[in-house]
Amino acid sequence: MRNYFSIVLPILTIIGIGVLFVLSSFYEKSWTYNWNGISEQIRDSIKVAEYRGISSGVVGIDARKPNQFDRRHWIMKNATVSELLKLTEYPNGTIKTIAYEGLLTKEEFEKKTELVMKSLKDIEYPIEYQSGCVGRPMYISEYLIDFVLYLDNDGPPLPDGLYNRFGLAENDVKKIMDEYRKQPSLWR
């Protein structure tokens, strides 16, 4: 019996280490995300949107608007403020970006300046932004400031209704832009 144990123990140890190595190599933080407070429909849409990046909706060579554009807007429209707040902690850049943008578009959400300031520090999960045939990596805050809020526009003036359409105070815009210019960039 003792001889049998001395043969089996090293084999089981090697198998156990191998299993732990394989699981740790492919582990994703989203596996342990706490979905409490997120409706089933939103959760299912998040699972589909997770690996598709952010799309501007501009048609490329394929001549079709990407489904991800409509899916993103559906999530932003149908998720509650509390669901979107919780999703800003989801371990994926695309989902975090959808949550941040969704909160900015919700009229009842009042802490927009604080939200944008939080996005400036949220650089662990960059996103892939797709517009037509061109894709580009960027941080969440770069997308929000350049493509949602239009605050960092060095070009001609924006059409009426686009600049500051979310009602940020001018001193808040200045505070955001001062901090934004100090942050690392994948886009600029």
Side-chain angles (χ1 to χ4, degrees):
M1 190 62 141
R2 185 177 233 213
N3 202 8
Y4 178 73
F5 184 71
S6 65
I7 293 172
V8 172
L9 182 63
I11 293 172
L12 289 176
T13 302
I14 291 170
I15 290 172
I17 291 171
V19 167
L20 285 174
F21 177 75
V22 167
L23 287 176
S24 66
S25 295
F26 298 105
Y27 174 76
E28 292 194 28
K29 291 180 181 178
S30 63
W31 293 352
T32 57
Y33 181 74
N34 180 359
W35 290 100
N36 290 340
I38 309 281
S39 71
E40 190 174 335
Q41 288 179 317
I42 298 297
R43 184 183 65 220
D44 292 345
S45 295
I46 293 300
K47 291 308 225 174
V48 174
E50 191 170 6
Y51 300 104
R52 304 277 199 280
I54 298 294
S55 171
S56 68
V58 172
V59 175
I61 238 171
D62 192 13
R64 290 184 293 168
K65 180 173 62 169
N67 289 341
Q68 183 69 350
F69 177 80
D70 294 327
R71 184 175 298 111
R72 182 177 97 236
H73 284 274
W74 184 90
I75 293 168
M76 292 188 305
K77 178 182 175 194
N78 292 293
T80 64
V81 168
S82 63
E83 287 174 320
L84 292 169
L85 280 169
K86 185 168 173 91
L87 288 170
T88 63
E89 302 303 323
Y90 192 81
N92 176 279
T94 298
I95 303 310
K96 285 174 165 272
T97 303
I98 292 169
Y100 279 112
E101 185 177 1
L103 286 167
L104 288 172
T105 61
K106 296 279 188 193
E107 288 182 25
E108 64 269 24
F109 184 72
E110 296 176 356
K111 296 181 179 181
K112 294 180 181 179
T113 301
E114 293 87 350
L115 183 74
V116 176
M117 294 300 281
K118 177 183 173 186
S119 79
L120 292 169
K121 306 292 184 206
D122 205 342
I123 60 172
E124 183 177 358
Y125 300 101
I127 64 167
E128 183 69 26
Y129 178 69
Q130 184 77 29
S131 184
C133 296
V134 179
R136 173 166 230 148
M138 63 181 63
Y139 291 118
I140 296 167
S141 61
E142 292 177 298
Y143 169 75
L144 293 175
I145 288 172
D146 290 341
F147 297 99
V148 176
L149 297 169
Y150 298 107
L151 297 181
D152 192 27
N153 187 351
D154 293 330
L158 293 168
D160 287 341
L162 272 186
Y163 182 75
N164 206 0
R165 64 186 169 148
F166 298 104
L168 298 172
E170 285 303 317
N171 61 337
D172 288 341
V173 170
K174 183 180 178 345
K175 182 171 77 171
I176 289 167
M177 292 310 297
D178 288 345
E179 191 62 31
Y180 176 66
R181 289 190 176 97
K182 296 176 190 175
Q183 300 301 317
S185 174
L186 294 174
W187 164 250
R188 295 179 266 142

